[in-house]
């Protein structure tokens, strides 16, 4: 394993837990020590492709099985594997689906799946996870964006004396939790699970990219993309409010040439969820777009989900929805 804590807090805890299970860990030297200036990584966010650039430089010489990076406060984790002459960085949704399938498959084989097991994902995470969970007889619950809502599910199960029913929760932004030892995303324990999973597939002559391809072949090619549109300043805030109001008052009838079959306004309390400034457009064929203003930045995010018979079909649908979505939010 080649590991980078991205100049943050993960170095000692991650290396400690991986050392206990015998993982051979090399660390990116320039990003090993805490550095609040993040001089070697302009934006140390696992969601960005550039977050692992320093790791790639070393990996080209050392050829590790796996590259792993945790964000500065070590609650999120990203993974890349060598593929051909380059590297394949898994998306947050892909890693979530791989972990979900691995954990459920392992528990099923061991006979340790509890009765009426529960998995949780955010509303902006991939619906592919629902298909994987259902194949194991697991109920997938959807919650608003923010890991605190996944924590609430764990707490409610704990209060009912049923915390063992919780199996796994994740968000598309590389946040994961298996078990109930904390009520937040945790990159330390997840790093351990990722390495166990990578070893499991390596013994079969596969890497995590191969394993993800098999999931796509089994469940369909669920692809996703997140678009962020900026609206700076006071004028931007007013424009964002106007866009959201317009989508509610006069929602479009179609998007990317596909009929919108349902408009779901989470501001009216959907399925018992807390109210939220989020609008979902469900398209014919199972594709969808979700519009959500950021709570911390002057941005509106458009989450796009498309399914295809193969990767090319799914990507073409993503591109078409993105083009229409950008015009809708302009």
């Amino acid at each position: 394993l080649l590991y980078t804590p991205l100049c943050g807090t993960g170095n000692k805890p991650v290396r400690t837990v991986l050392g206990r299970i015998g993982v051979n860990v090399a660390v990116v030297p320039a990003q090993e020590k805490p550095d609040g200036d993040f001089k070697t990584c302009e934006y140390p966010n696992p969601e960005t492709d550039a977050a692992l650039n320093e790791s790639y430089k070393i990996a080209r010489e050392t050829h590790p099985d796996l590259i792993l990076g945790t964000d500065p406060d070590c609650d999120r984790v990203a993974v890349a594997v060598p593929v051909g002459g380059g590297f394949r960085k898994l998306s947050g949704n892909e890693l979530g689906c791989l972990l979900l399938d691995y954990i459920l498959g392992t528990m099923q084989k061991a006979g340790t799946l509890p009765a009426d097991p529960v998995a949780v994902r955010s509303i902006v995470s991939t619906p592919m996870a629902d298909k994987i969970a259902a194949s194991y007889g697991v109920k997938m619950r959807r919650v608003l964006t923010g890991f605190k809502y996944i924590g609430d599910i764990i707490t409610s199960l704990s209060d009912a004396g049923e915390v063992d029913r919780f199996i796994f929760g994740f968000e598309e932004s590389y946040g994961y939790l298996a078990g109930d030892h904390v009520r937040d995303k945790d990159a330390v324990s997840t790093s351990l699970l990722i390495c166990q999973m990578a070893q499991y597939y390596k013994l079969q002559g596969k890497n995590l990219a191969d394993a993800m391809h098999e999931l796509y072949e089994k469940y369909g090619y669920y692809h996703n993309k997140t678009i962020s549109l900026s609206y700076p300043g006071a004028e931007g805030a007013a424009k964002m409010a106007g866009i959201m109001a317009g989508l509610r008052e006069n929602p479009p009838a179609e998007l990317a040439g596909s009929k919108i079959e349902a408009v779901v306004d989470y501001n009216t309390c959907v399925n018992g969820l807390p109210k939220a400034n989020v609008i979902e457009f469900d398209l014919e064929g199972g594709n969808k777009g979700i519009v959500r203003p950021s709570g911390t930045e002057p941005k509106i995010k458009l989450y796009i989900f498309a399914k295809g018979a193969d990767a090319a079909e799914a990507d073409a649908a993503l591109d078409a929805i993105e083009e229409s979505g950008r015009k809708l939010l302009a």
Side-chain angles (χ1 to χ4, degrees):
L1 172 74
L2 178 62
Y3 168 60
T4 174
L6 292 175
C7 300
T9 62
N11 187 34
K12 290 185 179 180
V14 170
R15 291 172 72 177
T16 296
V17 297
L18 297 185
R20 289 175 182 171
I21 63 168
V23 179
N24 183 359
V25 182
V27 181
V28 176
Q31 298 175 335
E32 179 177 3
K33 304 296 183 183
D35 176 10
D37 293 327
F38 304 107
K39 290 183 285 292
T40 60
C41 186
E42 182 177 353
Y43 193 49
N45 182 340
E47 295 178 80
T48 66
D49 291 335
L52 298 181
N53 278 351
E54 288 296 316
S55 302
Y56 296 151
K57 294 176 185 177
I58 296 173
R60 290 187 182 96
E61 303 297 327
T62 60
H63 308 293
D65 293 310
L66 190 69
I67 299 169
L68 187 148
T70 55
D71 69 340
D73 59 348
C74 200
D75 60 0
R76 296 189 295 158
V77 55
V79 164
V81 293
V83 173
F87 304 94
R88 163 89 152 83
K89 182 172 177 281
L90 298 166
S91 73
N93 277 320
E94 289 178 326
L95 188 53
C97 286
L98 281 167
L99 284 165
L100 178 66
D101 181 70
Y102 170 70
I103 292 167
L104 292 177
T106 300
M107 295 182 76
Q108 187 179 74
K109 290 175 184 176
T112 55
L113 265 179
D116 198 15
V118 173
V120 190
R121 69 169 177 89
S122 68
I123 59 172
V124 296
S125 299
T126 178
M128 183 179 185
D130 303 6
K131 298 292 186 181
I132 294 171
S135 72
Y136 291 97
V138 175
K139 180 186 297 182
M140 177 63 74
R141 297 189 182 181
R142 296 167 68 245
V143 295
L144 297 178
T145 301
F147 220 90
K148 64 182 180 180
Y149 295 111
I150 297 176
D152 286 344
I153 295 289
I154 303 172
T155 297
S156 64
L157 290 170
S158 179
D159 291 345
E162 300 175 348
V163 74
D164 289 346
R165 289 174 55 201
F166 175 76
I167 305 298
F168 183 66
F170 82 98
E171 293 184 319
E172 43 73 45
S173 53
Y174 291 91
Y176 312 98
L177 178 67
D180 69 316
H181 59 287
V182 293
R183 305 293 159 91
D184 203 352
K185 50 190 178 289
D186 175 23
V188 181
S189 62
T190 302
S191 294
L192 182 146
L193 283 168
I194 289 169
C195 289
Q196 290 179 323
M197 176 172 66
Q199 171 76 348
Y200 169 79
Y201 286 114
K202 183 179 180 181
L203 291 172
Q204 301 175 46
K206 307 171 188 174
N207 62 26
L208 295 185
D210 299 324
M212 191 65 224
H213 177 75
E214 290 181 351
L215 289 184
Y216 280 135
E217 287 290 298
K218 182 175 182 180
Y219 295 103
Y221 283 79
Y222 288 81
H223 286 193
N224 61 277
K225 181 184 288 187
T226 302
I227 310 301
S228 291
L229 302 177
S230 296
Y231 303 87
E235 289 183 3
K239 185 170 185 178
M240 288 169 60
I243 288 172
M244 296 303 292
L247 292 177
R248 289 188 167 94
E249 295 166 6
N250 187 29
E254 60 89 26
L255 200 61
S258 295
K259 178 183 176 183
I260 293 177
E261 296 183 332
V263 178
V264 183
D265 185 356
Y266 286 83
N267 215 25
T268 59
C269 193
V270 176
N271 296 328
L273 298 178
K275 292 182 179 180
N277 191 15
V278 179
I279 304 174
E280 176 181 316
F281 299 101
D282 295 336
L283 310 180
E284 59 185 347
N287 299 337
K288 70 174 59 179
I290 297 178
V291 181
R292 170 182 169 264
S294 170
T296 57
E297 299 175 287
K299 294 180 179 180
I300 289 181
K301 291 188 174 183
L302 172 63
Y303 301 85
I304 306 169
F305 304 88
K307 181 186 177 185
D310 54 32
E313 183 177 308
D315 285 340
L318 280 182
D319 291 342
I321 297 172
E322 177 183 352
E323 183 179 356
S324 291
R326 285 184 180 274
K327 293 177 181 177
L328 183 67
L329 300 178

